[in-house]
């Protein structure tokens, strides 16, 4: 083995350390560096003891320890820290060397970094890495984008350390140019917010609506994990509900109900608003976390505002089966919205995204991994130009089959006063998407009434705009027509 390292990893927190150990297991020689250099020694004497990892204490030393083209992967806090490291490392590199940012960076930053490093002759990769600590150590889902010339130089390492889907394919492939990798990772995280919120709503319905115990719910989730909902998040939910605190009671019930967030769900919402894509479920999931975080206000309001007094009186077992179907149908809507967003972003940023490939990358290693993603891959294999997952023959069949149960769940939740914003917005989206007509003829009339914004008519060709003087007091001049 050459004395020089195959790749350097900067950042020895949980992700960096575990990725290094994963690379080492796969026969790569890794150079490890960290801003606080004492952590390099701690790592070498601790988790990396007995491995081939080379510890270095300066950027100069790191660069000298690498084979050419040099590959330097940053696993540091996203934001300005990444730019600081790039500025510090770039002057020590040569043309054709590669800088990889594996943190949760914003795709706009990755677009900028790809361009500015290319101007210096350096190749940049911005890659999403999903799967948390366990994924980083045993096989994450890796979503690289950036300068395509860099991909052949990192492909072998990334695909070796990535998780493998059930059919053996690595959960890592080239996503696209500049910010595409981080955009896909952002969308993955947004979908993760949606999946988690849907599961939480199912839990609250069973707990508050049906009065089920944590153990009973744990068994329900374990059962769902055997069927169409088979996924990592359903599996861990079952385990969490079954986990006992020292006093033998369910730990989950002792956890304060205020959710944190680090921004990727919010970025997905912002991007969907900017691109005009109705990603309603992720939006609701982000807002639901915001609502959860105003705990003090909710405690006050709970003393003033009342809800329905009625109790569930139907067949509990049948209702639990209804919830399972409502969850599945809402999940289809959420993923359909996520892929709609990717399609619009691909147009906007001129990325050639492979949607089936993205579903494959998410099938293993990452937090949203599921059997369901295999079905999405099959849908895009059947039709790579699919306009929406909801109209794929398999998924439309499931939606049509589930919808009666889905409507019963939401109607019951509304009657019982249990908030289910994600389940509800999914059904509203389904009903809106399948409607040939929506009430926005009236909305266009309102806009024309107060702002002379003009409208198109159903009895005239598209693109021909009309303005009416609705009150007799307005003039004939219409406002300009444009979309923001
Ligand atoms: P952190 O996000 O906690 O970052 C820790 C690293 O950033 C350390 O090496 C630390 O150096 C360095 N750092 C910080 Br913090 N501030 C710095 C500064 N001002 N200048 C230079 N270095 C600085 O680590 P992580 O949880 O391993 O995550 C790494 C990246 O991967 C992040 O972008 C994160 O969002 C992403 N990610 C995390 C997970 C997860 O489950 N944790 C999953 C997927 C992606 P120091 O030791 O000297 O303080």
């Amino acid at each position: 083995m050459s004395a020089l390292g195959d790749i350097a990893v900067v950042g020895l927190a949980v992700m960096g350390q575990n990725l290094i150990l994963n690379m080492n297991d796969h026969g790569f020689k890794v150079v490890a560096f960290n801003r606080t250099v004492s952590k390099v020694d701690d790592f070498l004497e601790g988790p990396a003891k007995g491995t081939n990892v080379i510890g270095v204490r300066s950027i100069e030393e790191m660069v000298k320890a690498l084979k050419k083209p040099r590959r330097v992967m940053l696993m540091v806090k996203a934001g300005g820290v990444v730019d600081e490291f790039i500025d510090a490392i770039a002057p020590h590199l040569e043309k054709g060397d590669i800088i990889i940012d594996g943190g949760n960076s914003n795709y706009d930053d990755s677009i900028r970094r790809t361009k500015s490093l290319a101007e210096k002759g350096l190749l940049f990769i911005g890659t999403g890495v999903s799967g948390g600590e366990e994924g980083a150590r045993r096989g994450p889902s890796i979503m690289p984008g950036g300068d395509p010339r860099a991909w052949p130089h990192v492909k072998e390492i990334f695909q070796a350390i990535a998780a493998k889907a059930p059919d053996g394919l690595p959960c890592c492939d080239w996503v696209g140019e500049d910010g595409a990798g981080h955009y896909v990772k952002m969308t993955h995280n947004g979908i993760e917010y949606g999946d988690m919120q849907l599961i939480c709503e199912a839990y609250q319905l069973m707990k508050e609506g049906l009065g089920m115990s944590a153990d009973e719910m744990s068994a329900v989730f374990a059962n769902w994990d055997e069927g169409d909902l088979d996924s990592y998040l359903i599996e861990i939910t079952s385990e969490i509900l079954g986990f006992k605190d020292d006093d033998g009671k369910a730990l989950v019930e002792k956890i304060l109900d205020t959710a944190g967030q680090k921004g990727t769900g919010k970025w997905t919402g912002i991007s969907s608003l900017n691109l005009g894509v109705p990603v309603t479920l992720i939006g609701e999931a982000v807002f639901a976390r915001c609502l959860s975080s105003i705990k003090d206000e909710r405690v006050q309001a709970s003393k003033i505002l009342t809800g329905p007094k009625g109790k569930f009186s139907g067949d509990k077992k049948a209702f639990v089966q209804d919830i399972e179907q409502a969850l599945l149908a809402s999940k289809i809507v959420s993923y359909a919205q996520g892929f709609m967003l990717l399609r619009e972003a691909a147009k906007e940023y001129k990325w050639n995204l492979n949607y089936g490939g993205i579903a494959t990358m998410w099938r293993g290693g990452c937090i949203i991994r599921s059997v369901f993603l295999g079905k999405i891959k099959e849908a895009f294999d059947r039709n790579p130009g699919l306009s929406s997952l909801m109209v794929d023959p398999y998924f439309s069949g499931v939606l049509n089959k589930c919808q009666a149960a889905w409507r019963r769940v939401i109607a019951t939740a509304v009657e019982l006063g249990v908030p289910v914003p994600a389940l509800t917005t999914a059904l509203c989206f389904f009903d809106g998407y399948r409607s040939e007509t929506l009430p926005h003829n009236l909305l266009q009339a309102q806009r024309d009434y107060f702002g002379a914004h003009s409208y198109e008519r159903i009895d005239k060709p598209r693109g021909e705009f009309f303005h009416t003087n609705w009150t007799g007091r307005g003039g004939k001049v219409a406002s300009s027509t444009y979309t923001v």
Side-chain angles (χ1 to χ4, degrees):
M1 188 186 264
S2 157
L4 291 174
D6 296 299
I7 186 167
V9 174
V10 178
L12 296 181
V14 61
M15 294 300 284
Q17 287 201 13
N18 283 292
L19 277 179
I20 292 171
L21 296 174
N22 185 352
M23 289 172 183
N24 180 77
D25 285 351
H26 284 88
F28 300 104
K29 203 172 179 77
V30 191
V31 179
F33 177 62
N34 193 68
R35 172 186 63 163
T36 308
V37 287
S38 60
K39 290 189 187 168
V40 176
D41 299 320
D42 295 344
F43 182 51
L44 291 180
E45 283 156 24
K49 203 176 172 81
T51 66
N52 289 318
V53 175
I54 307 168
V56 291
R57 283 148 199 84
S58 70
I59 288 172
E60 291 80 354
E61 207 187 327
M62 173 179 83
V63 170
K64 280 194 196 120
L66 284 171
K67 281 179 196 159
K68 294 182 187 176
R70 299 178 185 89
R71 293 166 281 212
V72 179
M73 182 165 189
L74 305 176
M75 287 310 298
V76 296
K77 187 179 164 193
V81 175
V82 174
D83 287 315
E84 285 165 28
F85 267 116
I86 289 175
D87 290 346
I89 296 167
H92 300 277
L93 298 180
E94 291 170 10
K95 281 193 174 19
D97 285 347
I98 298 153
I99 296 182
I100 304 148
D101 169 24
N104 269 339
S105 294
N106 191 299
Y107 63 95
D108 272 332
D109 288 335
S110 297
I111 293 174
R112 170 177 58 78
R113 288 167 186 151
T114 306
K115 194 162 173 278
S116 69
L117 284 173
E119 283 161 8
K120 296 184 176 122
L122 299 175
L123 313 182
F124 178 77
I125 286 186
T127 183
V129 178
S130 175
E133 177 178 4
E134 181 72 16
R137 182 69 186 88
R138 307 276 163 221
S141 168
I142 309 179
M143 298 153 248
D147 194 322
R149 293 171 296 174
W151 176 230
H153 300 290
V154 300
K155 184 176 174 182
E156 191 195 346
I157 300 178
F158 278 14
Q159 292 194 336
I161 64 165
K164 306 294 175 295
D167 55 11
L169 285 176
C171 297
C172 170
D173 208 344
W174 185 245
V175 175
E177 299 218 318
D178 51 57
H182 273 131
Y183 196 92
V184 166
K185 172 64 165 47
M186 174 196 80
T187 306
H188 161 283
N189 283 26
I191 289 174
E192 177 185 309
Y193 273 55
D195 278 357
M196 292 169 77
Q197 176 64 25
L198 286 170
I199 290 172
C200 288
E201 291 177 15
Y203 154 75
Q204 198 178 6
L205 260 176
M206 287 191 273
K207 187 172 95 162
E208 308 286 342
L210 306 184
M212 289 170 67
S213 70
D215 280 338
E216 285 170 328
M217 291 184 281
S218 172
V220 167
F221 279 102
N223 178 257
W224 290 353
D225 198 36
E226 302 291 313
D228 292 333
L229 289 171
D230 179 350
S231 61
Y232 172 71
L233 282 169
I234 294 280
E235 180 192 330
I236 67 164
T237 302
S238 172
E239 284 177 18
I240 289 167
L241 286 163
F243 193 93
K244 302 286 184 287
D245 201 4
D246 296 340
D247 60 2
K249 297 203 173 116
L251 176 61
V252 69
E253 303 306 346
K254 299 184 181 177
I255 296 177
L256 191 71
D257 55 334
T258 60
Q261 46 184 323
K262 281 193 168 167
T264 39
K266 182 177 81 177
W267 295 347
T268 314
I270 291 170
S271 179
S272 68
L273 286 170
N274 284 336
L275 295 173
V277 185
V279 185
T280 61
L281 197 142
I282 295 173
E284 283 293 354
V286 175
F287 288 132
R289 289 196 191 194
C290 299
L291 181 60
S292 82
S293 72
I294 49 170
K295 173 85 178 175
D296 293 346
E297 252 182 271
R298 288 189 289 113
V299 170
Q300 284 298 318
S302 71
K303 298 188 175 104
I304 300 165
L305 304 171
T306 60
K309 299 267 177 294
K311 291 264 171 284
F312 182 81
S313 57
D315 178 340
K316 283 191 185 179
K317 206 166 157 211
F319 192 65
V320 168
Q321 284 168 359
D322 281 355
I323 298 174
E324 182 182 13
Q325 293 195 40
L327 211 51
L328 180 60
S330 302
K331 192 168 157 126
I332 294 171
V333 169
S334 181
Y335 282 66
Q337 292 181 344
F339 277 92
M340 280 168 79
L341 179 64
L342 290 178
R343 195 183 59 198
E344 208 50 40
K347 264 193 239 161
E348 174 76 14
Y349 299 108
K350 301 186 177 47
W351 295 326
N352 182 22
L353 298 183
N354 167 1
Y355 303 105
I358 291 167
T360 298
M361 274 181 256
W362 292 347
R363 274 194 302 162
C366 64
I367 305 298
I368 64 171
R369 63 182 180 261
S370 64
V371 167
F372 178 86
L373 278 157
K375 299 281 184 203
I376 296 180
K377 162 92 171 72
E378 288 168 20
F380 283 114
D381 284 349
R382 271 191 291 278
N383 178 5
L386 190 64
S387 59
S388 165
L389 281 175
M390 289 166 66
V391 297
D392 166 76
Y394 171 76
F395 287 112
S396 61
V398 177
L399 286 169
N400 289 334
K401 185 172 106 356
C402 289
Q403 68 167 302
W406 197 6
R407 290 181 198 283
R408 281 195 295 273
V409 167
I410 287 161
T412 307
V414 170
E415 275 178 11
L416 295 174
V418 177
V420 286
L423 289 167
T424 310
T425 197
L427 181 59
C428 290
F429 182 86
F430 171 77
D431 282 334
Y433 192 73
R434 63 173 191 83
S435 294
E436 195 181 328
T437 53
L438 287 171
H440 297 78
N441 48 332
L442 172 59
L443 192 134
Q444 283 297 80
Q446 291 166 335
R447 294 179 69 236
D448 190 54
Y449 185 107
F450 64 70
H453 291 299
S454 73
Y455 53 86
E456 293 169 278
R457 295 178 60 106
I458 57 174
D459 53 0
K460 298 283 182 196
R462 290 294 310 263
E464 215 178 307
F465 287 86
F466 299 86
H467 167 57
T468 294
N469 181 353
W470 297 87
T471 60
R473 296 187 298 277
K476 288 202 166 78
V477 183
S479 170
S480 314
T481 305
Y482 52 85
T483 307
V484 289

